[in-house]
Amino acid sequence: MGPMVYIFVYTPEQLQVVLNSPHCLEKPLQYSFFQVSRGIFSAPVDLWKILRKLITPSFGPGLLSSFVPIFNEKSSVMVEQMAKNVGKPQRDYYSEIVLCFMDTICNTAFGVDCDLQRSPAGAEYVETQEKYIDIVTERYLKPWQYLNFIYRFTNAYQIFKKRHGKFLALLTQATRINEVEDMLSKNSISKDYQDKDVGAKKIPIFVEKLLDEIQKSGHIKREDIDDHIVTMCFAGNDTTATTMSNILLMLAMHPDIQERVYQEIIAACPDRNQQVSIEDAGKLTYTEMVCKETMRHFSIAPVIGRTATQDVKLNDDITIPANSTLICCFYKLHMDPKNWGPDVKNFNPDNFLPDLVAKRHPYSFLPFSGGPRNCLGVRYAWLSMKIMLVHILRRYRLRTTLTMDTITVKFNSFMKIEDGCPITVEER
């Protein structure tokens, strides 16, 4: 495209080479359009390595157990919010799910309870996030706007500045970052933080690690905080919320599968008011298969980009030239009959039976990317989604008039279903 070389890769073997190559860790130009270049989502490799090492413990297994009560509490609030629509026509619950995950992120990553689910500011947050992502996506599709000195003369840039500024202002208010920073600087750490001890050693949550690093080193600066807040909230929130919306739609569309998931949930934690533990979530093997099959059909990131900083040899016949942009096509990967058989378009959770998974190339399914620069919050996402599903299905039966052959998808930075995920909820 013009002077830029784009190379598309989509076989498991090629993707394994690219995603694990030390020469393919840089993100291409398009990632800068979000203007979060200092956040882990699009940071240059040198800074990314520092951030990855810094942040990983705050989303690792050591802290997950302390997050479980928060996952349960926020899911319970969402289920109560959904009760207002019992018996009413089908609708998309994406907004409720976004706010639930946003409440969870604010609590677990920033140590504050913003309660957007029950706040008038919640609707404004959802609308602002969607508009911010939409304007970035529009720039993807207009190569003449790729150069910043041209983009700044366009009306689109003025719209972006307004939307980005409003989104950041809402996030700053929700996370109360200025209050948290002041509290931590005075060593006046609230009980919310103290409860996250693991044994005798306290594992800091995300905001503590971030602010501590700002004080201790020059790698991260105070002005970088905006990028980290936006990255954490939109990359960790919109992706998970969209995936959960898709899962609910697939369950509503396939009542036999929904019933099997429900029976597995009831066997693991039958009481409607029972908190879901990590051990309970670990028993939901078929539920996880359903989630994976949903992510296979609807890859939240249909493509991701990497830049080759040196020549990279894919195999004996193909060498990627330095300075080219690699487009890793996960949607093509997940819908390729060579990987999934002739019935690739059917929704079949049995694709993830252990014996079939063992026969498949390990890079044939990449819902969270792969290699060293994969998604940081994999365990966090899995546990939060499973707990939310338990709370929803213990209380509601889901239905929809949509069928698989009527669904179309659209590209919007993340892949989404064109007409949303409309379902009805019925009390069990």
Side-chain angles (χ1 to χ4, degrees), residues 363-392:
Y363 275 67
S364 60
F365 182 60
L366 297 171
F368 297 99
S369 188
R373 200 159 185 176
N374 68 340
C375 176
L376 180 67
V378 174
R379 295 186 186 93
Y380 182 101
W382 269 121
L383 185 58
S384 61
M385 287 195 299
K386 281 185 174 182
I387 289 175
M388 181 183 287
L389 270 176
V390 171
H391 282 272
I392 293 172

Side-chain angles (χ1 to χ4, degrees), residues 316-327:
D316 292 339
D317 301 316
I318 302 172
T319 297
I320 300 296
N323 301 317
S324 56
T325 296
L326 294 154
I327 307 299

Side-chain angles (χ1 to χ4, degrees), residues 45-332:
V45 170
D46 289 346
L47 177 59
W48 165 78
K49 289 179 179 178
I50 295 169
L51 291 170
R52 182 85 184 199
K53 184 177 180 180
L54 175 73
I55 297 171
T56 295
S58 297
F59 290 90
L63 265 182
L64 274 182
S65 60
S66 70
F67 294 160
V68 168
I70 298 170
F71 294 155
N72 277 281
E73 177 194 348
K74 300 306 177 184
S75 295
S76 295
V77 172
M78 191 190 74
V79 166
E80 291 301 324
Q81 296 294 104
M82 293 173 70
K84 301 172 184 176
N85 294 285
V86 170
K88 294 184 179 180
Q90 65 182 23
R91 62 184 293 272
D92 192 339
Y93 287 86
Y94 169 78
S95 295
E96 284 84 352
I97 298 169
V98 164
L99 295 178
C100 181
F101 280 125
M102 183 59 187
D103 277 353
T104 302
I105 289 170
C106 284
N107 216 312
T108 56
F110 296 94
V112 297
D113 189 358
C114 58
D115 198 17
L116 281 173
Q117 294 186 82
R118 293 178 291 202
S119 166
E124 183 182 18
Y125 171 83
V126 174
E127 181 184 10
T128 303
Q129 175 176 276
E130 289 181 336
K131 287 183 175 180
Y132 164 68
I133 294 173
D134 285 346
I135 193 68
V136 174
T137 303
E138 287 179 20
R139 190 179 179 189
Y140 282 162
L141 305 175
K142 297 177 180 178
W144 58 91
Q145 294 184 359
Y146 279 21
L147 296 176
N148 283 329
F149 78 88
I150 294 176
Y151 184 57
R152 290 194 183 100
F153 285 102
T154 66
N155 186 52
Y157 175 65
Q158 301 304 319
I159 296 172
F160 172 81
K161 279 205 312 180
K162 182 178 179 180
R163 292 182 180 178
H164 178 266
K166 184 175 181 180
F167 187 46
L168 180 58
L170 286 172
L171 291 178
T172 302
Q173 180 181 1
T175 58
R176 300 206 292 271
I177 187 65
N178 296 326
E179 297 174 32
V180 173
E181 182 181 17
D182 184 59
M183 178 183 66
L184 292 177
S185 67
K186 295 176 181 177
N187 295 316
S188 175
I189 298 176
S190 71
K191 188 175 184 296
D192 284 339
Y193 295 109
Q194 294 170 353
D195 281 346
K196 295 172 178 61
D197 290 348
V198 177
K201 183 179 179 181
K202 178 178 179 296
I203 300 179
I205 62 173
F206 168 74
V207 71
E208 293 178 288
K209 290 288 290 183
L210 187 63
L211 295 174
D212 186 54
E213 187 69 15
I214 289 172
Q215 294 176 2
K216 290 195 310 184
S217 75
H219 298 306
I220 302 174
K221 301 176 174 58
R222 175 61 183 84
E223 53 267 30
D224 296 342
I225 284 183
D226 290 350
D227 285 6
H228 293 295
I229 292 175
V230 174
T231 298
M232 186 62 61
C233 294
F234 102 82
N237 179 0
D238 191 62
T239 53
T240 316
T242 300
T243 299
M244 179 56 66
S245 296
N246 295 340
I247 292 169
L248 296 183
L249 180 63
M250 291 300 100
L251 290 169
M253 199 178 292
H254 301 90
D256 54 331
I257 293 174
Q258 180 182 168
E259 181 61 22
R260 186 171 170 184
V261 170
Y262 173 69
Q263 293 301 331
E264 183 178 67
I265 286 171
I266 291 303
C269 39
D271 187 343
R272 178 184 287 191
N273 299 315
Q274 178 182 348
Q275 296 281 291
V276 186
S277 67
I278 289 181
E279 292 73 24
D280 295 333
K283 298 173 184 176
L284 304 178
T285 53
Y286 184 72
T287 302
E288 185 168 318
M289 289 164 59
V290 173
C291 295
K292 287 179 177 179
E293 180 69 352
T294 302
M295 289 187 277
R296 182 181 75 81
H297 278 267
F298 307 101
S299 307
I300 189 63
V303 297
I304 66 165
R306 296 290 174 86
T307 298
T309 52
Q310 295 184 25
D311 288 356
V312 177
K313 188 173 182 179
L314 284 186
N315 53 42
D316 292 339
D317 301 316
I318 302 172
T319 297
I320 300 296
N323 301 317
S324 56
T325 296
L326 294 154
I327 307 299
C328 302
C329 306
F330 295 156
Y331 183 74
K332 166 69 174 171

